[in-house]
Amino acid sequence: DKNVECFSDVKYENWYQPYVCEAVKIGVVKGFADGTFKPENPVTVLEALAMAMRLYGIAPESGTPWYTNYQDLAETSKILDTASYNVHTFITRGKAADLILRVREYANKKSPLTNLSK
């Protein structure tokens, strides 16, 4: 709904509001504990990984910290080498495209990929 604010910082007049709120509705986006989405902030590798895994239905349960199980699955399935980023690494558009394709490939195969993305 165009008039629903799914996060305190995603207002209905923002052009991206319907997309963000739909992503919340289908479980791809969860936002931050303070009820914000932070739409102006860059996306980290771990945030992109979590969204892609949720989109393709292979998201693990959240760990402590929240990203540990995502990170472990990405490493063991050869989606992404944990040595190639840290918790603060922002993702580029190119790396995001690669990550999404690798997550999709793993979700379709249900087995580790043949090579590890750097």
Side-chain angles (χ1 to χ4, degrees):
D1 183 354
K2 180 82 174 125
N3 295 320
V4 173
E5 293 178 356
C6 49
F7 293 105
S8 61
D9 57 350
V10 176
K11 304 297 182 192
Y12 65 85
E13 58 271 353
N14 297 130
W15 68 267
Y16 49 81
Q17 181 272 347
Y19 306 105
V20 172
C21 293
E22 182 64 20
V24 170
K25 189 169 150 186
I26 65 173
V28 173
V29 171
K30 297 190 183 231
F32 294 91
D34 65 358
T36 63
F37 181 66
K38 302 181 182 175
E40 302 302 321
N41 286 10
V43 175
T44 68
V45 170
L46 289 167
E47 290 166 342
L49 178 65
M51 287 185 280
M53 287 182 166
R54 290 177 195 142
L55 178 64
Y56 285 101
I58 59 168
E61 295 293 319
S62 289
T64 303
W66 71 269
Y67 57 83
T68 54
N69 293 341
Y70 290 95
Q71 199 170 35
D72 291 346
L73 178 57
E75 180 78 24
T76 60
S77 62
K78 296 188 175 182
I79 292 171
L80 188 62
D81 182 1
T82 55
S84 68
Y85 63 92
N86 66 47
V87 70
H88 302 291
T89 303
F90 298 126
I91 195 162
T92 64
R93 289 176 188 213
K95 186 66 173 180
D98 178 61
L99 179 65
I100 291 165
L101 289 175
R102 294 182 66 77
V103 169
R104 183 180 71 175
E105 182 181 353
Y106 174 74
N108 289 335
K109 287 176 67 175
K110 300 291 190 243
S111 63
L113 303 181
T114 56
N115 64 338
L116 192 57
S117 178
K118 301 287 182 192

